[in-house]
Amino acid sequence: MRTIKEGSPYPRGASFDGKGTNFALFSDHASSVTLCLFNKDGSSETERIQLKECTNGVWHGYLDDIKPGQLYGYRVDGSWAPTEGQRFNQNKLLLDPYARKLSGAIKWDDSLYGYTISDAADADLTMDERDSASFMPKAIVIDPATLVKSKKPNIRWPKTIIYEAHVKGLTMQHPLIPHDIRGTFAALSDSALISHLQKIGITAIELLPIHAFSQDRHLLEKNLANYWGYNTLSFFAPEPDYMNSGELEEIAKTVDTLHQAGIEVILDVVYNHTCEGNHLGPTLSFKGIDNLSYYRELPGNPRYYDNLTGCGNALNTSHPKVLQMVMDSLRMWATVYGIDGFRFDLALTLGRNENGFSRDHALFHAMLQDPILTKCKLIAEPWDVGPGGFQLGSFPPGFSEWNGDYRDVTREFWTGKEGTLSKFANRFAASSDLFNEQHRRPWSSVNFITAHDGFTLHDLVSYNEKHNDANGEDSNDGANDNRSWNCGAEGETDSTEINALRSQQKRNFLATLFLSQGIPMLLAGDELNNSQSGNNNTYCQDNEIGWVNWDKADDSLIDFVGDLAALRKEHNAISRAEFLTGKLNEQGNSDVSWFNVNGEAMSDEQWNDPNNKAVVVKFVSKDKNECAVLVCINASHVEVEAKLPDDDQHKWKQLIDSTLSEADTTAQTAIKLAPRSLRIYESNTPT
């Protein structure tokens, strides 16, 4: 019989030390914890070993002869009392929350549920006694010493340009990437893809969830898939389908290759909920290990979950051991794989306690004092579906935030909505009304026009309505308020005039994004005219609908994005490290000046004029050796004659015109701005 030693309660998970493996699992309410060992392919359970030691709620034990490659899981016993929030069921094999690598995938079967499935209203109160091991993925003991470490680029926030992408979707249809690695981490390090990212000036690629996630049963039954991956199964293990080699080193090597190319890697992480769903969901890990500790229950009725996320459950980040798990996960990805930053999905949930959201939540304090995480870029999605579920601008200094209001206002402005000029100017100037407090910086605002959730840029100018028929939900899914404009025809058209207008609108949106103060985030494929055929919710479309179509690439649009990125990197007046003040500097110049089409300073009346859709903006860097930048904007449907600001010392050189007219390098005092167009000028001498 195998001898188990006392072991240690920390680190949690399975830790190989070169000789044997320590196992540690947190369950504050369990009566017993059993370690289950499996053969190499996970088809047979070979041994059960009870962990007899429990220290501060962590069950632990050490086995001398357990080496990397060993498959394992847990069975946890305790009270079966769903009305009290207890859902222990030792018949269910449970995945280690700290598993670093997985073998196999979920094979959906009724035995994966802790209760016996039926149509009864109280079905979840009856324990199911079937063994679920045959249908569960298993954790694998790994040797952490084999992973590669990389030197991070450490791109300064003001010079950051983010590219939001899906590991699979970005690479599946790339014509130059070998077929056998498409859809995997290995494809992200392909030279053809990296060359493209460099050409368009990307400094950071933000990846949709790569944590191991579940393929939802109801989606598979409809021949669909959990494509986006926002239903986490494990916070420490990568999604196996994204590893071409099957080895963890593939991720670290990919990150290292991107780093060598000067590109940082940011992960979209989902610590707000898990794939176990509500009280009728499966028992795969946390629910069976310690339901009361890991999840938020409804106050006064712990049978049900406090569904702050809209996904059935919410992690209880107020519990110290759950908070510790999140921190351990973040530190692992940052140190072992070299990840440069994290975008926190539904981050509002992470900062909730019994009194609602708090920017002073213990988890935020833990992140912001951590010597590893404070060097990472931390980006919050500042909303969830709970009470007071939109808190843009409310996160503590040290966090940047997805600026959903920037997206909405910018769309409204360029689609011609009246009365939006003043709001647009605020968002264009880094939303200082939301972020300029407690010494926060302009990069607190992550600006975007489009993201994975919603229309692509091409579809934004091609559809008035969503077209989500392929999702099988009668188009009841996805946002209804898209603030889009099809330019005169719904969907694809042969009209030369409409297509020309759509192309110009794309350039207007892109130029606005790259010229705005704050941090630009570009959706992968927007520079390629990528379309999802009007589907604004491709979460379940792991196919050509959801994948980036490289065949539609327009070299002129790619070059346009590259020019904008180069302009942004070159001019500190645009990529500022400080909020704009409007005050005069030592040279007598203001860092920002707003002019009407007559070349005069904008008045309050003009800002509030609902019909005014044109403005001229002058940006001046605090660097006296840098040239000023002039942005001329006309979002109206008619041509506007605009007088350039009087400047005896400087003349203006045209750099970019969204109509793609030939650049006029001669000095001009007045210009004709075409309908729905934008021009960028540079002073011929430093300010």
Side-chain angles (χ1 to χ4, degrees), residues 571 589 618-620 626-632 643-655 664-671 680-687:
H571 287 276
N589 295 309
K618 179 182 175 183
F619 291 118
V620 176
E626 186 177 312
C627 296
V629 176
L630 197 69
V631 184
C632 305
K643 183 180 179 182
L644 300 186
D646 290 333
D647 196 324
D648 296 334
Q649 295 180 334
H650 309 114
K651 295 181 179 180
W652 300 106
K653 173 185 175 183
Q654 182 174 303
L655 301 178
D664 187 350
T665 58
T666 61
Q668 299 182 70
T669 58
I671 61 172
I680 307 170
Y681 290 86
E682 177 186 60
S683 60
N684 63 336
T685 57
T687 53

Side-chain angles (χ1 to χ4, degrees), residues 3-112:
T3 300
I4 184 168
K5 297 179 180 178
E6 177 181 345
S8 171
Y10 195 83
R12 281 148 69 185
S15 306
F16 176 67
D17 61 7
K19 296 180 180 179
T21 300
N22 188 81
F23 293 89
L25 179 77
F26 166 71
S27 180
D28 205 24
H29 296 93
S31 60
S32 68
V33 172
T34 302
L35 172 68
C36 305
L37 304 181
F38 289 81
N39 62 353
K40 290 184 178 181
D41 64 5
S43 61
S44 176
E45 186 173 355
T46 59
E47 195 169 356
R48 294 187 182 185
I49 305 166
Q50 189 171 353
L51 301 183
K52 297 182 180 180
E53 301 293 335
C54 184
T55 304
N56 300 325
V58 179
W59 301 76
H60 52 91
Y62 181 92
L63 296 172
D64 280 316
D65 53 352
I66 298 297
K67 303 294 191 293
Q70 175 67 56
L71 273 58
Y72 73 98
Y74 288 104
R75 298 180 188 276
V76 181
D77 201 8
S79 174
W80 173 262
T83 57
E84 299 172 12
Q86 302 280 23
R87 295 182 179 271
F88 293 104
N89 187 337
Q90 64 180 339
N91 300 294
K92 309 304 171 183
L93 186 75
L94 306 172
L95 188 67
D96 182 357
Y98 277 69
R100 294 277 295 276
K101 186 178 181 182
L102 305 186
S103 174
I106 297 171
K107 300 175 184 177
W108 286 107
D109 183 83
D110 287 355
S111 66
L112 291 171

Side-chain angles (χ1 to χ4, degrees), residues 406-639:
Y406 174 95
R407 171 200 59 206
D408 297 342
V409 169
T410 303
R411 289 185 179 190
E412 290 175 345
F413 178 73
W414 278 113
T415 53
K417 184 176 180 179
E418 295 182 350
T420 56
L421 181 59
S422 179
K423 292 191 294 182
F424 170 77
N426 276 333
R427 299 298 159 256
F428 191 65
S431 301
S432 60
D433 57 323
L434 297 173
F435 298 111
N436 190 10
E437 50 90 26
Q438 287 193 300
H439 304 289
R440 297 184 79 178
R441 298 282 191 148
W443 59 80
S444 298
S445 178
V446 174
N447 304 323
F448 61 102
I449 307 294
T450 57
H452 70 274
D453 188 1
F455 281 144
T456 66
L457 182 61
H458 179 82
D459 292 353
L460 182 67
V461 300
S462 304
Y463 294 90
N464 284 348
E465 307 295 336
K466 64 185 179 183
H467 296 266
N468 297 358
D469 294 341
N471 294 358
E473 300 179 43
D474 297 324
S475 279
N476 290 317
D477 64 301
N480 293 316
D481 184 12
N482 295 287
R483 297 171 170 87
S484 60
W485 179 46
N486 64 18
C487 298
E490 187 71 358
E492 299 305 315
T493 179
D494 293 328
S495 170
T496 302
E497 181 180 355
I498 290 176
N499 285 327
L501 177 56
R502 287 175 177 177
S503 294
Q504 187 165 310
Q505 282 287 76
K506 291 178 195 177
R507 292 189 290 271
N508 289 332
F509 279 122
L510 289 167
T512 301
L513 178 65
F514 278 81
L515 290 169
S516 296
Q517 304 289 318
I519 302 302
M521 186 184 79
L522 179 69
L523 173 64
D526 276 356
E527 80 283 13
L528 306 169
N529 293 310
N530 184 55
S531 173
Q532 295 171 172
S533 300
N535 192 319
N536 73 350
N537 189 31
T538 59
Y539 78 103
C540 57
Q541 298 296 332
D542 188 3
N543 50 46
E544 288 81 359
I545 296 175
W547 301 339
V548 172
N549 183 359
W550 291 81
D551 291 338
K552 294 185 66 176
D554 176 356
D555 287 341
S556 65
L557 188 59
I558 294 173
D559 291 340
F560 187 78
V561 172
D563 290 342
L564 289 170
L567 179 68
R568 182 177 181 85
K569 292 176 182 177
E570 179 182 352
H571 287 276
N572 292 319
I574 301 170
S575 52
R576 295 177 58 86
E578 305 87 13
F579 281 100
L580 299 167
T581 65
K583 297 179 181 179
L584 298 178
N585 62 14
E586 296 177 358
Q587 289 74 42
N589 295 309
S590 172
D591 54 9
V592 64
S593 302
W594 303 87
F595 302 95
N596 60 30
V597 294
N598 297 318
E600 305 162 338
M602 286 282 290
S603 66
D604 290 342
E605 182 180 0
Q606 290 164 339
W607 278 122
N608 295 320
D609 181 354
N611 297 312
N612 188 11
K613 301 175 184 178
V615 69
V616 176
V617 192
K618 179 182 175 183
F619 291 118
V620 176
S621 170
K622 65 180 181 180
D623 183 353
K624 62 183 180 181
N625 296 316
E626 186 177 312
C627 296
V629 176
L630 197 69
V631 184
C632 305
I633 297 172
N634 176 24
S636 73
H637 66 282
V638 296
E639 182 181 82

Side-chain angles (χ1 to χ4, degrees), residues 231-445:
N231 225 1
T232 306
L233 174 64
S234 173
F235 297 115
F236 293 80
E239 171 55 37
D241 285 348
Y242 293 166
M243 294 189 291
N244 179 66
S245 64
E247 301 300 327
L248 299 177
E249 289 87 348
E250 180 179 325
I251 307 171
K253 289 179 179 178
T254 294
V255 173
D256 187 52
T257 301
L258 288 165
H259 282 175
Q260 291 175 29
I263 299 171
E264 295 182 322
V265 180
I266 298 171
L267 297 185
D268 192 335
V269 288
V270 189
Y271 295 109
N272 58 79
H273 77 282
T274 78
C275 63
E276 290 186 302
N278 62 16
H279 64 293
L280 298 177
T283 296
L284 309 171
S285 181
F286 312 93
K287 185 179 289 186
I289 293 173
D290 193 344
N291 189 61
L292 274 177
S293 294
Y294 281 104
Y295 292 120
R296 298 181 186 275
E297 284 77 24
L298 275 182
N301 195 356
R303 174 184 173 186
Y304 302 104
Y305 296 99
D306 194 359
N307 186 16
L308 300 165
T309 64
C311 300
N313 62 55
L315 274 185
N316 182 16
T317 52
S318 295
H319 191 290
K321 287 295 194 296
V322 179
L323 184 156
Q324 181 186 35
M325 178 185 69
V326 173
M327 292 295 294
D328 287 346
S329 172
L330 291 169
R331 281 191 291 259
M332 185 214 70
W333 288 101
T335 56
V336 174
Y337 295 102
I339 297 302
D340 304 277
F342 303 92
R343 179 265 188 189
F344 297 92
D345 179 67
L346 301 183
L348 213 65
T349 299
L350 304 182
R352 286 188 181 273
N353 53 39
E354 63 275 7
N355 297 316
F357 173 77
S358 172
R359 69 188 307 174
D360 292 321
H361 193 279
L363 178 59
F364 299 151
H365 284 304
M367 291 184 196
L368 295 172
Q369 64 78 41
D370 188 88
I372 294 171
L373 298 183
T374 50
K375 298 176 184 177
C376 294
K377 292 179 168 68
L378 305 176
I379 305 170
E381 183 183 41
W383 51 78
D384 65 11
V385 301
F390 188 78
Q391 294 284 339
L392 179 63
S394 298
F395 279 74
F399 280 87
S400 298
E401 301 178 37
W402 265 29
N403 194 337
D405 203 45
Y406 174 95
R407 171 200 59 206
D408 297 342
V409 169
T410 303
R411 289 185 179 190
E412 290 175 345
F413 178 73
W414 278 113
T415 53
K417 184 176 180 179
E418 295 182 350
T420 56
L421 181 59
S422 179
K423 292 191 294 182
F424 170 77
N426 276 333
R427 299 298 159 256
F428 191 65
S431 301
S432 60
D433 57 323
L434 297 173
F435 298 111
N436 190 10
E437 50 90 26
Q438 287 193 300
H439 304 289
R440 297 184 79 178
R441 298 282 191 148
W443 59 80
S444 298
S445 178

